[in-house]
Amino acid sequence: MKKKLLALVMAATLVFAFTACGGNESSGGDTASEEAEKEEPLDLTGDWQQVTAEGDGMKATIEGEEITIDWVFEEDDTTALYLAGTYVPPTEATDEYSWTSENDTEKTSSALMASTGETKDFTYKDGALSFEVSALGVTKTVELERAE
């Protein structure tokens, strides 16, 4: 009788141990729900415009791995190229982002009002895309917001 009781206790212990181990494996996480919870990387593609400028100002377009920035002159409805550069998109979800763009000097070399620098630093923060513009010894930070 003691042998049967001991065998029953051992069997119950083994069943309990295997069930507990199996429970840990299934509670390791549901990969489908974890993937759904992952946030998408910050997407800065699209059109941007300078909102502090009255009339004239700047606009930008980010498409693929390129950013193009133009001066905008509303009075005579013209634009002039400022920068044709690279865009390095974020790879994770974030509220702030910065990158260094490499200017395509082949495109900007014939543009009278283009940046002469080989690179341009950009920052995205609080919904605004910003960068510095220098002309005639004066440097100003330009802020662009998404165009509606």
Side-chain angles (χ1 to χ4, degrees):
M1 180 83 158
K2 287 184 179 181
K3 286 185 179 181
K4 286 185 180 179
L5 185 59
L6 183 61
L8 185 60
V9 169
M10 290 294 282
T13 304
L14 286 174
V15 168
F16 180 73
F18 282 79
T19 303
C21 289
N24 285 343
E25 286 179 24
S26 66
S27 66
D30 184 355
T31 56
S33 65
E34 284 176 2
E35 287 180 19
E37 291 178 12
K38 286 184 183 177
E39 292 185 41
E40 294 293 317
L42 177 64
D43 183 10
L44 300 178
T45 58
D47 295 324
W48 297 78
Q49 64 188 15
Q50 188 175 3
V51 294
T52 57
E54 291 184 27
D56 299 341
M58 299 186 97
K59 70 175 184 173
T61 300
I62 298 176
E63 196 172 333
E65 294 182 353
E66 296 179 357
I67 181 169
T68 303
I69 301 175
D70 294 304
W71 294 100
V72 177
F73 306 100
E74 284 190 10
E75 186 175 311
D76 54 358
D77 195 29
T78 59
T79 61
L81 180 63
Y82 173 72
L83 181 91
T86 58
Y87 168 64
V88 181
T91 57
E92 56 189 47
T94 183
D95 293 332
E96 297 180 15
Y97 183 68
S98 60
W99 81 96
T100 299
S101 177
E102 294 183 27
N103 190 9
D104 184 343
T105 53
E106 271 189 43
K107 291 181 181 177
T108 58
S109 64
S110 61
L112 184 61
M113 300 181 68
S115 172
T116 57
E118 292 184 17
T119 62
K120 178 72 61 186
D121 293 328
F122 290 89
T123 300
Y124 173 80
K125 183 178 178 180
D126 298 328
L129 185 62
S130 63
F131 56 97
E132 289 188 345
V133 174
S134 296
L136 304 171
V138 176
T139 301
K140 178 180 178 168
T141 300
V142 173
E143 287 191 355
L144 306 175
E145 292 182 358
R146 282 196 189 272
E148 294 180 7

